[in-house]
Amino acid sequence: MAPTVTPINATLGAVVSGLELAHMDEATWKVVERAFLEHGVLIFPGQHLTEAEQVAFARRFGDIELLAADPEQKAVAISNVKPDGTILEADEHRYKSLRGNEGWHTDSSYMPLAAKASCLSAQVVPSSGGETEWADMRAAYDALDDATRRRIAGLSAHHSLYHSQAKIGHMVETGAAYGFHTKGAPLRPLVKVHPVTGRPALFIGRHAYGIPGLSQAESEQLLSDLVDFACRPPRTYAHVWHPGDVVIWDNRCVLHRARPYDYREARVMRHTRVAGDPATELAPTHRDDRASAYEPSSSNR
Ligand SMILES: [Fe+2]
């Protein structure tokens, strides 16, 4: 039986039911792949994948981007629970990274090779809050007025995780965690043409800064105006997680953010990131003044 794809009442997102992600035949996978390209975000309720099953599902979309030091580790925890079972304190590095994720962004735009897709599954959820929200950058581009479209055509922005964390007061040393590297800040066009669908989309978010040709103030104003305009209904959807839910989204045309919750409660998500295609997601880098050095590289490792 074919899975059921039910579009969400927004310009992006669909709920997919009537399938087991861990046991898909080729015809079912084709339905999922087509729905991914059309809707940008796919919600699969109640899948309860093991880590190996989640990695295998993500692997269908492309190579896995390695986020941990151990190359055998293909999935990471996004969690406020420490290995000893206690909850992160507000002054800890990982707590500040979690709070940073509450700003609209696209994954790994600060790496030489930006991500294609991201997969999250819910393990432990708080009693309220802690949703993930997505915003449709294709529909946002379509909704821009002509003057803005003309203004941003040909503009690019640098992307840096040092920059986005510094904006929330989190100064991080080079090498302290994934993303705080010496490869330089990638320079990426504000409008990204989707490599498969050909649809233009805004490519912005909290990691973006420093548009060449604009003053720092003009650049910040334009980037924040674009996010404010883009990330509002009917272009957004926030998912209330239940343990076992799996979501995959297309980082090439969708922004996302985590929503706050009572940080004294546990929230444990499992994350697998799918690497972009070097032909379309690799960007040249420039010196990032917040990094300790500049050693240009086209590899994320
Ligand atoms: Fe993210």
mmCIF file of all heavy atoms in Angstrom, residues 101 105 107 249 256, ligand 1:
data_model
loop_
_atom_site.group_PDB
_atom_site.id
_atom_site.type_symbol
_atom_site.label_atom_id
_atom_site.label_comp_id
_atom_site.label_asym_id
_atom_site.label_seq_id
_atom_site.Cartn_x
_atom_site.Cartn_y
_atom_site.Cartn_z
ATOM 1 N N ASN A 101 20.381 27.664 18.851
ATOM 2 C CA ASN A 101 19.504 26.989 17.878
ATOM 3 C C ASN A 101 18.093 27.554 17.863
ATOM 4 O O ASN A 101 17.295 27.181 17.010
ATOM 5 C CB ASN A 101 19.433 25.485 18.182
ATOM 6 C CG ASN A 101 20.693 24.762 17.771
ATOM 7 O OD1 ASN A 101 21.431 25.224 16.906
ATOM 8 N ND2 ASN A 101 20.947 23.620 18.399
ATOM 9 N N HIS A 105 17.854 29.399 11.269
ATOM 10 C CA HIS A 105 19.107 29.072 10.582
ATOM 11 C C HIS A 105 18.936 27.903 9.637
ATOM 12 O O HIS A 105 17.904 27.234 9.644
ATOM 13 C CB HIS A 105 20.202 28.752 11.615
ATOM 14 C CG HIS A 105 19.937 27.512 12.409
ATOM 15 N ND1 HIS A 105 19.041 27.472 13.456
ATOM 16 C CD2 HIS A 105 20.435 26.247 12.317
ATOM 17 C CE1 HIS A 105 19.000 26.258 13.977
ATOM 18 N NE2 HIS A 105 19.841 25.481 13.294
ATOM 19 N N ASP A 107 21.330 24.436 8.499
ATOM 20 C CA ASP A 107 22.448 23.719 9.109
ATOM 21 C C ASP A 107 23.709 23.736 8.241
ATOM 22 O O ASP A 107 23.650 23.529 7.032
ATOM 23 C CB ASP A 107 22.045 22.262 9.396
ATOM 24 C CG ASP A 107 21.118 22.160 10.608
ATOM 25 O OD1 ASP A 107 21.134 23.067 11.447
ATOM 26 O OD2 ASP A 107 20.390 21.151 10.699
ATOM 27 N N TRP A 249 14.168 17.464 6.749
ATOM 28 C CA TRP A 249 13.891 18.696 6.005
ATOM 29 C C TRP A 249 15.047 19.041 5.078
ATOM 30 O O TRP A 249 16.161 18.554 5.240
ATOM 31 C CB TRP A 249 13.564 19.855 6.932
ATOM 32 C CG TRP A 249 14.694 20.368 7.774
ATOM 33 C CD1 TRP A 249 15.612 21.321 7.436
ATOM 34 C CD2 TRP A 249 15.005 19.974 9.116
ATOM 35 N NE1 TRP A 249 16.465 21.549 8.480
ATOM 36 C CE2 TRP A 249 16.129 20.729 9.523
ATOM 37 C CE3 TRP A 249 14.442 19.057 10.019
ATOM 38 C CZ2 TRP A 249 16.706 20.591 10.782
ATOM 39 C CZ3 TRP A 249 15.027 18.912 11.272
ATOM 40 C CH2 TRP A 249 16.124 19.680 11.643
ATOM 41 N N HIS A 256 15.061 26.699 9.968
ATOM 42 C CA HIS A 256 14.419 26.077 11.129
ATOM 43 C C HIS A 256 14.957 26.706 12.401
ATOM 44 O O HIS A 256 15.996 27.383 12.394
ATOM 45 C CB HIS A 256 14.663 24.567 11.146
ATOM 46 C CG HIS A 256 16.102 24.185 11.295
ATOM 47 N ND1 HIS A 256 16.995 24.244 10.243
ATOM 48 C CD2 HIS A 256 16.827 23.769 12.357
ATOM 49 C CE1 HIS A 256 18.190 23.869 10.662
ATOM 50 N NE2 HIS A 256 18.123 23.586 11.953
HETATM 51 FE FE FE B 1 19.847 23.320 13.247
#
